[in-house]
Amino acid sequence: LNLGSSNMFNNRPVWLKTMCKSLDPGIAFNSVDDYLENRRFLVNNLKKRGMGKSGLEPLVLHEAEQLITYLSSKQALDPARVLGNYTSNNFMLMCFGKRWDYEDPEYDTFHKSVMRYLEISVILTIGDMVPLLWYFPQMKRLYDECFELIGGIRNFYEKYIDEKLTTRDDSDEVDIISDYLRIHKNFDDTERENLLNICQGLFVAGTDTTAATLGFAIIHLIHHPEIQEELFDELDGVLQGRDPSMSDTQSLPLMEG
């Protein structure tokens, strides 16, 4: 037993099978023997896009402008749905080079499916920890509903993957799907399943979590108008009308906090 090796502590709770399969079967909840290749691919892809520099900023800023334009046109809306649309669009652009309009009914279906299956997956994880619960009919019904929803969500990803397959070429597109297909010339069913797992993990890890964080920040500012004023003054003084950049964070301590 080599406790000096970090790999001894790198494995995932793969015995929690329902949680692993429903949340992120591609990286976060995959076995250490299997997730390293996917992690390496994604890190390399993000580096091509400018991770750690400013390469991703134009994508995020453009989507933020789309969000502001939409918010300006509405008097009342569901903030959870809109913020989810915003964060999902950033991942859609990174994965597929596509986005959903803010009133796209396809996104409504996607959003409702994600919210429901995340709610169910928490309950099913308890079943992984207490296997006796699987003998209750309600747990079986929730399991079937959860993976029916996941199947529908993965169908969205598969549709966009198939579109990329029909137009596959040697262009310099660096969205995740194009990059994966360029690397894996012999794209078979095993590679398809792995790519779907990667997409599922990225959306689960980054969309709902980021939308919830943004929602909390907005609620916090609504309840503390004095902080709103301070934050506006800080942003106005530093940015002076231009778009923000990651390089500005050192000059924006309140915003960073």
Side-chain angles (χ1 to χ4, degrees):
L1 183 64
N2 181 14
L3 296 180
S5 172
S6 62
N7 285 336
M8 291 296 299
F9 303 94
N10 276 349
N11 218 323
R12 301 297 193 263
V14 292
W15 58 91
L16 301 176
K17 294 182 179 180
T18 307
M19 181 181 75
C20 296
K21 187 178 177 182
S22 63
L23 295 180
D24 184 358
I27 297 179
F29 295 113
N30 204 352
S31 168
V32 67
D33 298 323
D34 299 320
Y35 88 89
L36 289 175
E37 182 178 348
N38 288 343
R39 180 183 181 275
R40 190 178 301 113
F41 161 72
L42 286 174
V43 169
N44 287 336
N45 177 269
L46 290 172
K47 285 180 178 178
K48 292 177 187 177
R49 302 180 68 96
M51 181 181 70
K53 301 176 184 177
S54 58
L56 289 170
E57 283 184 6
L59 180 150
V60 177
L61 289 172
H62 181 265
E63 189 57 40
E65 290 174 2
Q66 297 290 321
L67 173 63
I68 292 169
T69 300
Y70 178 74
L71 292 175
S72 300
S73 69
K74 297 293 178 182
Q75 292 184 334
L77 46 77
D78 176 2
R81 188 255 181 228
V82 174
L83 291 174
N85 200 158
Y86 166 73
T87 55
S88 293
N89 276 351
N90 281 294
F91 278 89
M92 279 287 287
L93 289 165
M94 289 174 62
C95 286
F96 309 109
K98 295 179 178 290
R99 62 182 298 278
W100 281 301
D101 289 334
Y102 282 94
E103 292 189 349
D104 191 331
E106 183 179 90
Y107 176 73
D108 283 326
T109 302
F110 178 85
H111 176 71
K112 290 174 183 177
S113 296
V114 170
M115 293 298 99
R116 176 58 179 161
Y117 109 72
L118 287 176
E119 177 186 354
I120 296 173
S121 64
V122 174
I123 301 171
L124 296 181
T125 298
I126 299 173
D128 282 339
M129 299 177 181
V130 187
L132 180 65
L133 294 176
W134 292 115
Y135 289 95
F136 289 86
Q138 180 65 14
M139 287 291 284
K140 180 63 168 61
R141 286 195 293 270
L142 288 175
Y143 181 93
D144 291 341
E145 181 185 357
C146 181
F147 284 97
E148 181 179 348
L149 291 168
I150 291 173
I153 291 167
R154 287 167 74 97
N155 285 340
F156 280 112
Y157 308 148
E158 194 156 24
K159 180 181 73 172
Y160 295 122
I161 291 171
D162 288 338
E163 287 179 7
K164 290 286 185 181
L165 281 169
T166 57
T167 59
R168 181 158 60 170
D169 54 35
D170 294 325
S171 65
D172 294 329
E173 287 184 289
V174 290
D175 62 82
I176 287 170
I177 303 305
S178 296
D179 202 20
Y180 192 94
L181 294 176
R182 190 160 44 245
I183 293 170
H184 299 84
K185 300 292 185 183
N186 299 318
F187 188 72
D188 56 17
D189 289 344
T190 301
E191 295 295 350
R192 177 184 290 269
E193 185 71 12
N194 187 51
L195 186 52
L196 287 170
N197 288 342
I198 290 173
C199 293
Q200 180 179 331
L202 285 173
F203 274 81
V204 170
T207 55
D208 179 61
T209 51
T210 307
T213 301
L214 290 171
F216 173 81
I218 292 171
I219 293 171
H220 186 70
L221 290 172
I222 290 172
H223 286 284
H224 296 86
E226 71 284 0
I227 298 179
Q228 282 188 55
E229 196 69 31
E230 286 184 59
L231 188 59
F232 175 83
D233 290 341
E234 180 182 85
L235 289 167
D236 190 48
V238 172
L239 301 181
Q240 298 183 353
R242 63 174 173 81
D243 288 334
S245 171
M246 285 299 294
S247 60
D248 294 319
T249 52
Q250 293 182 348
S251 304
L252 298 169
L254 184 59
M255 186 69 190
E256 180 73 358

